[in-house]
Amino acid sequence: MSDDRSMLVEVATGLFGDLCTPEDVVAAEGSGWSARLWDALAESGFPYVSVPEEAGGSGGDVADACALLAVAGRFAAPVPLAEAGLLGGWALGAAGLELPEGPLSVAVGRPDDTVSLTGGPGSWSLSARVHRVPWGGRAERVVLLAPSGGSTYVVSAPTSSASVTPGRNLADEPRDTLTWDGGALPDDAVAEAPPGVHADALRLRGALARAALISGALARVSDLTVRYTGERHQFGRPVARFQAVQAHLVTIAEEAQLAQLAVQVAAGNARPDPSFADVASAKAVASEAATTAARHSHQAHGAIGMTKEYELGQLSRRLWSWRDEFGSERWWNRELGRRLAEAGADELWPRISTGLVTA
Amino acid sequence: MHFAVTSLTAAEEALRAEVREFLAAELPAGSRPALGFAGRHAPEFSRKLAARGWVGMAIPPEYGGHGRSAVDRFVVAEELLAAGAPIGAHFVADRQTGPTLLQFGTEEQRRRFLPGIAAGEIYFSLGMSEPDSGSDLASVRTRATRVEGGWRVTGTKVWTSEAHRNHWFAVLCRTSPPEEGSKHAGLSQLIVDLHADGVRVSPIPYLDGSHHFNEVALEDVFVPDEMVLGELGSGWQQVTSELAYERSGPDRWLSTFPLLREWLREGPGRDAGKHATDDEAVVLGRLASRYRAIRQMSLSVARALDAGEAPAVEAALVKEIGTRFEQEVVEALRAAVETELDAGSASLFEALLAEAVLTAPSYTLRGGTNEILRGVAAKGLGR
């Protein structure tokens, strides 16, 4: 890890450690987010890591953003950090639109979404209904990709003119439905999407961001489970001494490492954009790891893990949500498998043996 | 515990390209690939590989080797295993005995064995397990008794792979009684000539009918003093360190890769003029994405070894998940094709699948069972 990235991770870890304790997360689940945490992150420029400074962002690259998201995942941070930088900020920056002061989220591209942008400069109007928008009701702006007249446009839609139907994922993170009913948009909220900014690219970034969050949460789940089973005594000794429990610990550690490395490869190779094969591998591995590690960590913890206050549940409920967001392991495995089958048997090993590529 | 993500340098990629070119020339298209390092014993291939400098890579030039890095060895090993190359003759000597001799052997032993190992001409077996000693290796009963100029060894080793073809084996045996409170004391490793008087090698038929395993009975076999490997009484420390660092290579996760490739060739892809069904694509994608991630773990350990670190826990984790994955590949493909297995099938894939089903249980046993590995790894996680 570069010195700059190590520093970023260290500073972020300190900040989350202060402002995003398990108690803070429980409190935030009631209201859906932590304004205090968001404000502190915004003050440090964290939401726009990986968005170029020329575009009003904080600079850094995709790997920096993913390292930051791993920290956020480890602390179960109740804020739209992934949506602001890697997704929304990327699209706005590339399209030359201004980054908002307040929280930024993004329409994730659900099959049932409808987006209609009509008019032109001086007369733009937006009719849209987009689902499962992370912290949609809390965001100041939501980024939409809108087809119009043969082109695709990046829209920085103000939520002040949207109606919001709240929804939540399993971790009580807001996943809201937002509707715009043909209201006018200012010219500085619309720009033609430059090459490379499209729905598939957004999905890759979304999947990579979720995989990064998962990898951070998994590392914490692993640590928590090792700690708990080392402290918990039954039959006169720590339960971690039992072979059956050791099997859980080892499986969790393995899955956490697989996810972390897959994310680091995908993020490290994103110069500047992540590739399909890297992201498909990373999200598929991370989503499966989430499933496996959550199961084994709950089994190793016993009943304490089933309580809302205990930290494990905050993490496992996120793992169970994030593994499906921006495509489940089955979805990504299928897409990856199709391409590999098209490429043929002799291409298989060269593709598998491509890992992190030297810059 | 830490796995640092790492990439291959341009020089390492160039080495990979050389190995690929060599294999393309040496392994005719359509030939049956070996599954894993124990898959095929082919001395001629081993010597050709050695002539290219790809055996004895860990051995310094002064002993006839090439002084290459762990990552260079990783690259060569993964290319060989992915291609299903027949590396069974030299692989154990190369992976295990060579490094052990370098670390613990006498100067005389190094000069005697290392050049031959690096030339792909001297092959070793491992003499660890006995009828009553498996995972509890310290309970071995093979005993060496002091005599003029050396030792007389008596005992029985089992599951000794390729003892009927190899030249030597490193025998873990008791050279003095266990001490109070330490059954690990008093164990030593002796290098025993598999053709010496008193050595009787008899086959133990393998599950697939092949001759792979042997029982090696030692009856009063004379072993001269100069064949004591390392320090007398340090056998336990030597075998455990030997096991620790050789756990994490591509031989622990690639054994069944040729099976996947041949499935793709015959089944769901462009080679057969087909499009993968959803289920087939999911299987292929899942195996490929996990191969990539496990490979990155394994590569990370090689890089750490080159940096002088001692990643014992990491290596145990790689072997634990890698060998389980080797088995998962077999079952995933079996589930994907829904056929009745026949080792004599005209389909290369189906014949390989039959072979894999019959040999896969060994992956999570050889070199230390996964139960033992999990214990090692879990203790490391708790620290």
Side-chain angles (χ1 to χ4, degrees), chain A residues 108-182:
Chain A
V108 298
R110 305 273 308 175
D112 49 353
D113 287 356
T114 55
V115 179
S116 165
L117 178 70
T118 52
S123 68
W124 292 114
S125 81
L126 177 68
S127 292
R129 186 173 174 78
V130 293
H131 303 82
R132 310 291 298 171
V133 180
W135 287 274
R138 290 285 175 183
E140 179 182 325
R141 299 284 185 116
V142 169
V143 173
L144 312 176
L145 295 178
S148 180
S151 301
T152 298
Y153 290 82
V154 177
V155 178
S156 175
T159 54
S160 54
S161 58
S163 63
V164 177
T165 309
R168 297 187 158 217
N169 67 15
L170 298 176
D172 288 327
E173 294 179 324
R175 297 292 184 261
D176 303 327
T177 297
L178 275 68
T179 308
W180 287 266
D181 279 330

Side-chain angles (χ1 to χ4, degrees), chain B residues 123-376:
Chain B
Y123 311 139
F124 272 78
S125 293
L126 303 175
M128 295 194 193
S129 295
E130 296 184 0
D132 294 322
S133 300
S135 290
D136 180 12
L137 207 50
S139 68
V140 292
R141 290 205 293 236
T142 296
R143 187 192 324 258
T145 315
R146 200 99 192 69
V147 292
E148 172 81 38
W151 301 81
R152 289 274 171 192
V153 188
T154 298
T156 302
K157 294 292 175 180
V158 288
W159 331 134
T160 313
S161 298
E162 305 297 339
H164 58 301
R165 292 186 175 113
N166 290 346
H167 308 109
W168 300 86
F169 77 148
V171 173
L172 181 69
C173 62
R174 197 153 273 298
T175 43
S176 60
E179 288 167 13
E180 190 69 37
S182 173
K183 61 180 182 176
H184 299 146
L187 293 170
S188 303
Q189 279 183 295
L190 304 184
I191 302 170
V192 177
D193 182 346
L194 280 162
H195 300 96
D197 285 344
V199 176
R200 200 181 66 243
V201 177
S202 20
I204 303 175
Y206 208 53
L207 207 54
D208 65 354
S210 65
H211 183 184
H212 172 70
F213 271 170
N214 297 279
E215 176 190 274
V216 184
L218 305 166
E219 205 181 314
D220 226 17
V221 177
F222 178 71
V223 178
D225 277 327
E226 60 265 26
M227 287 295 149
V228 173
L229 174 49
E231 239 172 277
L232 207 57
S234 297
W236 179 256
Q237 291 82 342
Q238 289 171 202
V239 293
T240 48
S241 86
E242 183 179 319
L243 290 173
Y245 299 120
E246 296 306 324
R247 269 175 180 156
S248 61
D251 47 313
R252 303 306 187 182
W253 50 274
L254 271 174
S255 300
T256 48
F257 177 77
L259 184 65
L260 177 62
R261 186 182 48 230
E262 295 314 314
W263 176 60
L264 187 51
R265 202 185 303 287
E266 293 183 19
R270 65 176 286 174
D271 303 285
K274 291 183 200 157
H275 295 290
T277 63
D278 278 3
D279 284 347
E280 287 168 341
V282 169
V283 168
L284 179 56
R286 175 171 185 273
L287 297 179
S289 57
R290 289 183 80 79
Y291 267 122
R292 290 191 71 193
I294 292 171
R295 174 180 178 275
Q296 205 69 46
M297 278 179 92
S298 176
L299 174 59
S300 162
V301 174
R303 194 66 87 194
L305 287 170
D306 282 337
E309 294 166 28
V313 176
E314 289 82 353
L317 282 186
V318 171
K319 181 170 186 287
E320 207 283 327
I321 195 168
T323 53
R324 275 197 297 121
F325 179 67
E326 290 179 327
Q327 294 173 340
E328 276 180 48
V329 171
V330 179
E331 286 309 311
L333 295 178
R334 177 192 147 261
V337 297
E338 297 188 53
T339 184
E340 293 179 25
L341 297 178
D342 185 335
S345 172
S347 147
L348 177 55
F349 163 68
E350 289 188 15
L352 284 173
L353 180 58
E355 179 187 339
V357 166
L358 292 172
T359 52
S362 68
Y363 305 151
T364 49
L365 300 173
R366 60 188 181 189
T369 68
N370 283 36
E371 285 71 16
I372 295 294
L373 285 174
R374 286 194 284 261
V376 169

Side-chain angles (χ1 to χ4, degrees), chain A residues 246 254-255 257-258 264 277-278 281 288 330 333 337-338 340-346 349 353-354 356 358, chain B residues 1 3 7-8 20 79 265 269-271 275 278-279 281 285-286 288-290 292 295 297 320 324 375:
Chain A
Q246 290 176 348
E254 289 165 348
E255 294 291 327
Q257 294 299 331
L258 286 181
Q264 288 177 348
D278 283 340
S281 301
E288 180 173 336
R330 184 176 166 86
N333 281 331
R338 273 187 190 143
L340 292 172
E342 284 305 312
D346 290 327
W349 174 246
S353 57
T354 302
L356 182 66
T358 308
Chain B
M1 182 199 44
F3 288 89
S7 58
L8 295 182
R20 264 185 204 167
E79 289 301 320
R265 202 185 303 287
R270 65 176 286 174
D271 303 285
H275 295 290
D278 278 3
D279 284 347
R286 175 171 185 273
S289 57
R290 289 183 80 79
R292 290 191 71 193
R295 174 180 178 275
M297 278 179 92
E320 207 283 327
R324 275 197 297 121

Side-chain angles (χ1 to χ4, degrees), chain A residues 60-352:
Chain A
D61 55 23
V62 168
D64 294 326
C66 286
L68 182 61
L69 287 174
V71 180
R74 179 238 176 276
F75 286 95
V79 286
L81 194 59
E83 291 73 16
L86 269 184
L87 298 163
W90 159 74
L92 294 184
L97 295 174
E98 203 177 329
L99 303 175
E101 289 288 321
L104 176 67
S105 190
V106 65
V108 298
R110 305 273 308 175
D112 49 353
D113 287 356
T114 55
V115 179
S116 165
L117 178 70
T118 52
S123 68
W124 292 114
S125 81
L126 177 68
S127 292
R129 186 173 174 78
V130 293
H131 303 82
R132 310 291 298 171
V133 180
W135 287 274
R138 290 285 175 183
E140 179 182 325
R141 299 284 185 116
V142 169
V143 173
L144 312 176
L145 295 178
S148 180
S151 301
T152 298
Y153 290 82
V154 177
V155 178
S156 175
T159 54
S160 54
S161 58
S163 63
V164 177
T165 309
R168 297 187 158 217
N169 67 15
L170 298 176
D172 288 327
E173 294 179 324
R175 297 292 184 261
D176 303 327
T177 297
L178 275 68
T179 308
W180 287 266
D181 279 330
L185 285 176
D187 280 356
D188 64 3
V190 182
E192 194 166 343
V197 177
H198 46 73
D200 287 348
L202 186 78
R203 191 175 182 84
L204 286 184
R205 285 170 169 265
L208 177 58
R210 285 295 181 273
L213 287 168
I214 286 171
S215 76
L218 287 173
R220 179 63 180 160
V221 163
S222 182
D223 289 347
L224 270 181
T225 312
V226 168
R227 192 185 73 188
Y228 179 78
T229 57
E231 290 169 359
R232 170 77 170 169
H233 283 64
Q234 291 287 281
F235 306 104
R237 51 184 167 150
V239 296
R241 296 264 185 84
F242 293 95
Q243 269 201 349
V245 175
Q246 290 176 348
H248 294 309
L249 301 180
V250 167
T251 300
I252 296 164
E254 289 165 348
E255 294 291 327
Q257 294 299 331
L258 286 181
Q260 186 178 91
L261 286 168
V263 167
Q264 288 177 348
V265 167
N269 283 343
R271 292 188 293 263
D273 294 311
S275 79
F276 168 81
D278 283 340
V279 172
S281 301
K283 184 60 163 68
V285 165
S287 288
E288 180 173 336
T291 304
T292 306
R295 180 170 69 239
H296 287 277
S297 59
H298 273 288
Q299 188 67 21
H301 270 89
I304 185 78
M306 297 306 294
T307 59
K308 186 113 191 222
E309 284 73 23
Y310 185 69
E311 195 181 344
L312 177 65
Q314 297 176 7
L315 296 161
S316 60
R317 285 183 296 121
R318 281 168 177 77
L319 292 173
W320 290 324
S321 301
W322 295 339
R323 64 183 177 173
D324 289 327
E325 293 177 357
F326 292 100
S328 67
E329 61 269 42
R330 184 176 166 86
W331 195 91
W332 286 105
N333 281 331
R334 186 175 62 229
E335 295 302 310
L336 178 62
R338 273 187 190 143
R339 284 166 167 82
L340 292 172
E342 284 305 312
D346 290 327
E347 261 300 297
L348 183 61
W349 174 246
R351 293 190 184 202
I352 285 175

